[in-house]
Amino acid sequence: MGFPKDFLFGVATSAAQIEGAAQEDGRGLSIWDVFSRIPNKIADNTTPEIACDHYHLFKDDVKLMRELGVNSYRFSISWSRVMPEGTGQINQKGLDFYKRLVEELNKNDIVPNATLYHWDLPYELECRGGFLNRDVAEWFGEYAELMFRELGDSVPLWATINEPIATYVGYAKGGFAPGRKLERFGRAANHNILLSHARGVEAFRSVNPKNSKIGIVVDIWHQHPANSENAADVQAAEDGNERTYRSYLDPIFKGQYSPYLLECMEKEGSMPDIRSGDFEKISAPIDFFGLNCYNRVLASAEDTKIETIEQTGGNFLDNGTEFYPKAVYDAIKMMHERYNIKIPIYITENGTYNCNEEIVDGKIHDTDRIKYVEGFLNWIEKAIDEGYDVRSYYLWSLMDNFEWSAGNSFRFGITHTDFNTQERIWKDSAFWYRDFIKKNLL
Ligand code: FCB
């Protein structure tokens, strides 16, 4: 059986992580430009100011994709590059950049897959309350509509939001931009980002680009009890799943927050401002579901995690993460069983970091990355063989880039980025992926 003929094998990136040119050609700042300048927020104190300089090097990067043989590329648009203040004034030079990128991709037969929001809110909007302000949905709608009008037809796949949980982390935990730390902020931001998604879908339907589809990307890190015979661990896992991915998928696919989450928010004083009609909008039909899948999580009630993981006989990569490629199969299945989805799934991200990244004689033997990617691809293939409609696999990432709070210290690329010279060096995994694609797209 194997992968269908029109399966998309791609690579994924996001604007803030690769573009650089943070203050060029009229771009406005994003919350990550500002957050990364607060001392000690980023592990190595790097910023997205230059990153991979993709803004200037995009033609070379498309050439690299061509050499890899990928037939699709998932990227995101920097909202503050096209609308420096988030609303109102449009920055033509910013828009032109994305037009040139999309044109270059289409010229090279690489299907563009664009995400409107990958964590980089315009800083000017943060000054107006950011995701704590319900108006953010309208601001997002204005931006989304602009992009659909300008680029709608030449981009077949559009996602409104990438991983809404990052916004929760940014408003409740402080680990991500904008760095706020109240649970009730996190829950308010969550609700408002779901409303933003809804406005984005509405804008898409009204512009109605031909032959394009709209979806959302959610990451599923399913929590399993570290010890399934321990009731407290079982409860910890359930609680974790409720507070994370289900807090997005329930509203989108069931039109509600679960009774459990509602009760938690009530008890914890973090109930968002939910108005009548919200859930109808949030659960409006979408055309595909974007799944980011990196791993599972083992949840334990106490801090006995490490010991218990070892007892499960888990298999680990040298970077310390568990090797559990079945996570992607479980997630695909769960989307059908729990949410009963009838739309195709696109695997929009999967990858791993720091796998023996040392350069020896110009070579990087990232063997663990190959094992990891191959493992996930095998489980995706199994899901397809069983009849699940899965249409893509995007490897995170095309190249090492600005990995948010980890700065440049977490290398996720299949090519190595020399952040001084901007040279991209193929790792073993890049050669492997190229050959895998060649074999499977025959
Ligand atoms: C995902 C993010 C992406 C990158 C990878 C490693 O959660 O969407 O930007 O950080 O993790």
Side-chain angles (χ1 to χ4, degrees), residues 13-14 17 74 118-119 162-163 165-166 176 217 219 221 292 294 349-353 396-397 401-404 410 412:
T13 65
S14 87
Q17 294 178 273
R74 175 170 179 253
H118 198 126
W119 312 2
N162 176 75
E163 297 192 359
I165 199 164
F176 282 172
V217 174
D219 50 324
W221 295 72
N292 286 0
Y294 286 86
E349 279 180 36
N350 170 248
T352 190
Y353 62 97
W396 185 277
S397 180
N401 53 48
F402 174 74
E403 181 47 37
W404 311 113
F410 273 31
F412 268 93

Short mmCIF file of all heavy atoms in Angstrom, two decimals, residues 13-14 17 74 118-119 162-163 165-166 176 217 219 221 292 294 349-353 396-397 401-404 410 412, ligand 1:
data_model
loop_
_atom_site.label_atom_id
_atom_site.label_comp_id
_atom_site.label_asym_id
_atom_site.label_seq_id
_atom_site.Cartn_x
_atom_site.Cartn_y
_atom_site.Cartn_z
N THR A 13 8.36 25.51 8.65
CA THR A 13 9.08 26.58 9.37
C THR A 13 8.03 27.57 9.87
O THR A 13 6.84 27.40 9.62
CB THR A 13 10.03 27.37 8.44
OG1 THR A 13 9.24 28.06 7.46
CG2 THR A 13 11.05 26.50 7.74
N SER A 14 8.47 28.61 10.56
CA SER A 14 7.56 29.72 10.86
C SER A 14 8.31 31.03 10.75
O SER A 14 9.54 31.08 10.87
CB SER A 14 6.94 29.58 12.25
OG SER A 14 7.79 30.17 13.22
N GLN A 17 10.75 32.41 13.39
CA GLN A 17 11.89 31.53 13.62
C GLN A 17 12.95 31.57 12.53
O GLN A 17 14.08 31.15 12.75
CB GLN A 17 11.40 30.09 13.83
CG GLN A 17 10.57 29.96 15.10
CD GLN A 17 10.02 28.56 15.30
OE1 GLN A 17 8.97 28.23 14.79
NE2 GLN A 17 10.73 27.73 16.02
N ARG A 74 5.46 24.29 4.32
CA ARG A 74 4.58 24.97 5.27
C ARG A 74 5.35 26.10 5.95
O ARG A 74 6.41 25.86 6.53
CB ARG A 74 4.06 23.97 6.32
CG ARG A 74 3.23 24.64 7.38
CD ARG A 74 2.50 23.64 8.28
NE ARG A 74 1.78 24.40 9.27
CZ ARG A 74 2.12 24.48 10.56
NH1 ARG A 74 3.16 23.81 11.03
NH2 ARG A 74 1.43 25.23 11.38
N HIS A 118 1.44 32.13 13.77
CA HIS A 118 2.34 31.19 14.44
C HIS A 118 3.06 31.98 15.55
O HIS A 118 4.26 32.24 15.47
CB HIS A 118 3.32 30.59 13.42
CG HIS A 118 4.01 29.33 13.86
ND1 HIS A 118 3.99 28.17 13.13
CD2 HIS A 118 4.74 29.05 14.96
CE1 HIS A 118 4.69 27.23 13.77
NE2 HIS A 118 5.17 27.75 14.88
N TRP A 119 2.29 32.43 16.52
CA TRP A 119 2.76 32.95 17.82
C TRP A 119 3.30 34.38 17.86
O TRP A 119 3.72 34.84 18.91
CB TRP A 119 3.83 32.04 18.42
CG TRP A 119 3.52 30.59 18.45
CD1 TRP A 119 2.41 29.96 17.97
CD2 TRP A 119 4.33 29.55 19.02
NE1 TRP A 119 2.47 28.61 18.20
CE2 TRP A 119 3.65 28.32 18.83
CE3 TRP A 119 5.57 29.54 19.66
CZ2 TRP A 119 4.16 27.10 19.27
CZ3 TRP A 119 6.07 28.32 20.09
CH2 TRP A 119 5.39 27.11 19.90
N ASN A 162 -1.54 28.31 14.51
CA ASN A 162 -0.69 27.18 14.84
C ASN A 162 -0.61 27.01 16.36
O ASN A 162 -0.20 27.93 17.06
CB ASN A 162 0.73 27.39 14.32
CG ASN A 162 1.67 26.25 14.75
OD1 ASN A 162 1.61 25.15 14.22
ND2 ASN A 162 2.50 26.50 15.76
N GLU A 163 -1.01 25.86 16.85
CA GLU A 163 -0.87 25.50 18.26
C GLU A 163 -1.34 26.61 19.21
O GLU A 163 -0.53 27.31 19.81
CB GLU A 163 0.60 25.15 18.57
CG GLU A 163 1.11 23.95 17.81
CD GLU A 163 2.47 23.44 18.33
OE1 GLU A 163 3.01 24.04 19.26
OE2 GLU A 163 2.97 22.44 17.81
N ILE A 165 -2.13 26.49 22.08
CA ILE A 165 -1.64 26.34 23.46
C ILE A 165 -0.44 27.24 23.75
O ILE A 165 -0.19 27.62 24.91
CB ILE A 165 -1.30 24.86 23.78
CG1 ILE A 165 -1.27 24.68 25.30
CG2 ILE A 165 0.00 24.43 23.13
CD1 ILE A 165 -1.33 23.27 25.77
N ALA A 166 0.28 27.62 22.70
CA ALA A 166 1.43 28.51 22.92
C ALA A 166 0.97 29.85 23.48
O ALA A 166 1.69 30.50 24.26
CB ALA A 166 2.19 28.72 21.62
N PHE A 176 6.57 31.85 27.34
CA PHE A 176 6.57 32.34 25.96
C PHE A 176 6.08 33.79 25.97
O PHE A 176 5.49 34.24 26.97
CB PHE A 176 5.60 31.51 25.11
CG PHE A 176 6.12 30.16 24.68
CD1 PHE A 176 5.26 29.25 24.06
CD2 PHE A 176 7.45 29.78 24.85
CE1 PHE A 176 5.71 28.01 23.64
CE2 PHE A 176 7.91 28.53 24.43
CZ PHE A 176 7.04 27.64 23.82
N VAL A 217 -4.28 24.25 13.11
CA VAL A 217 -3.24 23.29 13.52
C VAL A 217 -3.21 23.22 15.05
O VAL A 217 -3.02 24.23 15.73
CB VAL A 217 -1.86 23.73 12.98
CG1 VAL A 217 -0.77 22.82 13.54
CG2 VAL A 217 -1.85 23.72 11.45
N ASP A 219 -1.57 20.89 18.35
CA ASP A 219 -0.58 19.86 18.72
C ASP A 219 -1.20 18.93 19.75
O ASP A 219 -1.83 19.37 20.71
CB ASP A 219 0.70 20.49 19.27
CG ASP A 219 0.43 21.52 20.36
OD1 ASP A 219 -0.57 22.26 20.26
OD2 ASP A 219 1.23 21.58 21.33
N TRP A 221 -0.24 16.21 22.42
CA TRP A 221 0.74 15.51 23.26
C TRP A 221 -0.11 14.73 24.26
O TRP A 221 -0.35 15.20 25.36
CB TRP A 221 1.63 16.49 24.02
CG TRP A 221 2.52 17.37 23.20
CD1 TRP A 221 2.15 18.40 22.40
CD2 TRP A 221 3.96 17.30 23.12
NE1 TRP A 221 3.26 19.00 21.83
CE2 TRP A 221 4.37 18.34 22.26
CE3 TRP A 221 4.93 16.46 23.70
CZ2 TRP A 221 5.73 18.55 21.95
CZ3 TRP A 221 6.27 16.69 23.40
CH2 TRP A 221 6.66 17.73 22.53
N ASN A 292 -0.01 18.55 14.68
CA ASN A 292 1.40 18.55 15.04
C ASN A 292 1.59 17.48 16.09
O ASN A 292 0.87 17.45 17.09
CB ASN A 292 1.83 19.90 15.64
CG ASN A 292 1.95 21.00 14.59
OD1 ASN A 292 1.72 20.75 13.41
ND2 ASN A 292 2.31 22.19 15.03
N TYR A 294 4.65 15.38 18.23
CA TYR A 294 6.07 15.21 18.55
C TYR A 294 6.32 14.03 19.49
O TYR A 294 7.36 13.38 19.41
CB TYR A 294 6.64 16.48 19.19
CG TYR A 294 6.85 17.59 18.19
CD1 TYR A 294 5.83 18.47 17.86
CD2 TYR A 294 8.08 17.74 17.54
CE1 TYR A 294 6.03 19.47 16.92
CE2 TYR A 294 8.29 18.74 16.62
CZ TYR A 294 7.26 19.60 16.31
OH TYR A 294 7.46 20.58 15.37
N GLU A 349 3.46 19.06 11.48
CA GLU A 349 4.79 19.15 12.10
C GLU A 349 5.15 17.86 12.80
O GLU A 349 4.30 17.24 13.45
CB GLU A 349 4.86 20.26 13.18
CG GLU A 349 5.04 21.65 12.65
CD GLU A 349 5.10 22.68 13.77
OE1 GLU A 349 5.66 22.40 14.85
OE2 GLU A 349 4.57 23.78 13.54
N ASN A 350 6.42 17.51 12.68
CA ASN A 350 7.00 16.42 13.45
C ASN A 350 8.52 16.52 13.29
O ASN A 350 9.02 16.77 12.19
CB ASN A 350 6.51 15.05 12.89
CG ASN A 350 7.27 13.88 13.48
OD1 ASN A 350 8.03 13.19 12.80
ND2 ASN A 350 7.08 13.63 14.76
N GLY A 351 9.24 16.36 14.38
CA GLY A 351 10.69 16.44 14.28
C GLY A 351 11.31 16.34 15.66
O GLY A 351 10.61 16.25 16.67
N THR A 352 12.62 16.35 15.70
CA THR A 352 13.29 16.30 17.01
C THR A 352 14.58 17.12 16.98
O THR A 352 15.02 17.55 15.92
CB THR A 352 13.53 14.84 17.45
OG1 THR A 352 13.97 14.84 18.82
CG2 THR A 352 14.58 14.15 16.59
N TYR A 353 15.14 17.34 18.16
CA TYR A 353 16.24 18.31 18.27
C TYR A 353 17.51 17.66 18.81
O TYR A 353 17.49 16.59 19.42
CB TYR A 353 15.82 19.45 19.20
CG TYR A 353 15.53 18.99 20.62
CD1 TYR A 353 16.49 19.10 21.62
CD2 TYR A 353 14.31 18.43 20.93
CE1 TYR A 353 16.23 18.67 22.91
CE2 TYR A 353 14.04 17.99 22.22
CZ TYR A 353 15.01 18.11 23.21
OH TYR A 353 14.75 17.66 24.47
N TRP A 396 9.57 19.04 10.75
CA TRP A 396 10.09 20.24 11.41
C TRP A 396 11.53 19.97 11.76
O TRP A 396 11.77 19.14 12.61
CB TRP A 396 9.28 20.58 12.68
CG TRP A 396 9.76 21.87 13.23
CD1 TRP A 396 10.86 22.07 14.05
CD2 TRP A 396 9.22 23.16 12.96
NE1 TRP A 396 11.02 23.40 14.29
CE2 TRP A 396 10.04 24.09 13.64
CE3 TRP A 396 8.13 23.63 12.20
CZ2 TRP A 396 9.80 25.47 13.59
CZ3 TRP A 396 7.89 25.00 12.16
CH2 TRP A 396 8.73 25.89 12.86
N SER A 397 12.49 20.60 11.08
CA SER A 397 12.31 21.75 10.24
C SER A 397 13.29 21.73 9.08
O SER A 397 14.26 20.98 9.10
CB SER A 397 12.52 23.00 11.10
OG SER A 397 12.36 24.17 10.35
N ASN A 401 16.78 26.76 13.51
CA ASN A 401 16.29 28.13 13.54
C ASN A 401 16.11 28.63 14.96
O ASN A 401 16.54 27.96 15.92
CB ASN A 401 14.99 28.23 12.72
CG ASN A 401 13.96 27.22 13.16
OD1 ASN A 401 13.69 27.07 14.35
ND2 ASN A 401 13.39 26.48 12.20
N PHE A 402 15.48 29.77 15.11
CA PHE A 402 15.26 30.37 16.43
C PHE A 402 14.17 29.58 17.13
O PHE A 402 12.98 29.72 16.80
CB PHE A 402 14.86 31.84 16.25
CG PHE A 402 14.48 32.51 17.56
CD1 PHE A 402 15.44 32.86 18.49
CD2 PHE A 402 13.14 32.77 17.86
CE1 PHE A 402 15.08 33.46 19.70
CE2 PHE A 402 12.77 33.37 19.06
CZ PHE A 402 13.75 33.71 19.98
N GLU A 403 14.58 28.75 18.09
CA GLU A 403 13.62 27.85 18.73
C GLU A 403 13.04 28.51 19.99
O GLU A 403 13.22 28.03 21.11
CB GLU A 403 14.28 26.50 19.01
CG GLU A 403 13.40 25.44 19.65
CD GLU A 403 12.02 25.25 19.03
OE1 GLU A 403 11.90 25.33 17.79
OE2 GLU A 403 11.07 25.04 19.80
N TRP A 404 12.35 29.62 19.80
CA TRP A 404 11.63 30.29 20.89
C TRP A 404 12.50 30.45 22.14
O TRP A 404 13.63 30.91 22.02
CB TRP A 404 10.31 29.55 21.17
CG TRP A 404 9.52 29.27 19.91
CD1 TRP A 404 9.26 28.04 19.37
CD2 TRP A 404 8.92 30.23 19.01
NE1 TRP A 404 8.54 28.17 18.21
CE2 TRP A 404 8.31 29.50 17.96
CE3 TRP A 404 8.83 31.62 18.97
CZ2 TRP A 404 7.63 30.10 16.89
CZ3 TRP A 404 8.15 32.24 17.92
CH2 TRP A 404 7.56 31.47 16.91
N PHE A 410 18.49 24.80 20.59
CA PHE A 410 17.83 23.56 20.18
C PHE A 410 17.83 23.51 18.66
O PHE A 410 17.17 24.32 18.02
CB PHE A 410 16.38 23.50 20.69
CG PHE A 410 16.23 22.94 22.07
CD1 PHE A 410 17.23 23.09 23.03
CD2 PHE A 410 15.08 22.25 22.43
CE1 PHE A 410 17.09 22.58 24.32
CE2 PHE A 410 14.93 21.73 23.72
CZ PHE A 410 15.93 21.88 24.66
N PHE A 412 16.65 21.84 15.42
CA PHE A 412 15.59 20.95 14.91
C PHE A 412 15.73 20.69 13.40
O PHE A 412 14.91 19.99 12.83
CB PHE A 412 14.21 21.58 15.15
CG PHE A 412 13.54 21.19 16.45
CD1 PHE A 412 13.70 21.96 17.59
CD2 PHE A 412 12.74 20.06 16.53
CE1 PHE A 412 13.06 21.62 18.79
CE2 PHE A 412 12.11 19.71 17.72
CZ PHE A 412 12.26 20.49 18.84
C1 FCB B 1 6.23 23.27 17.69
C2 FCB B 1 6.13 24.68 17.15
C3 FCB B 1 7.29 25.05 16.24
C4 FCB B 1 8.60 24.56 16.79
C5 FCB B 1 8.51 23.08 17.08
C6 FCB B 1 9.80 22.50 17.57
O1 FCB B 1 5.48 23.16 18.85
O2 FCB B 1 4.94 24.85 16.44
O3 FCB B 1 7.30 26.44 16.06
O4 FCB B 1 8.89 25.26 17.95
O5 FCB B 1 7.52 22.87 18.05
#
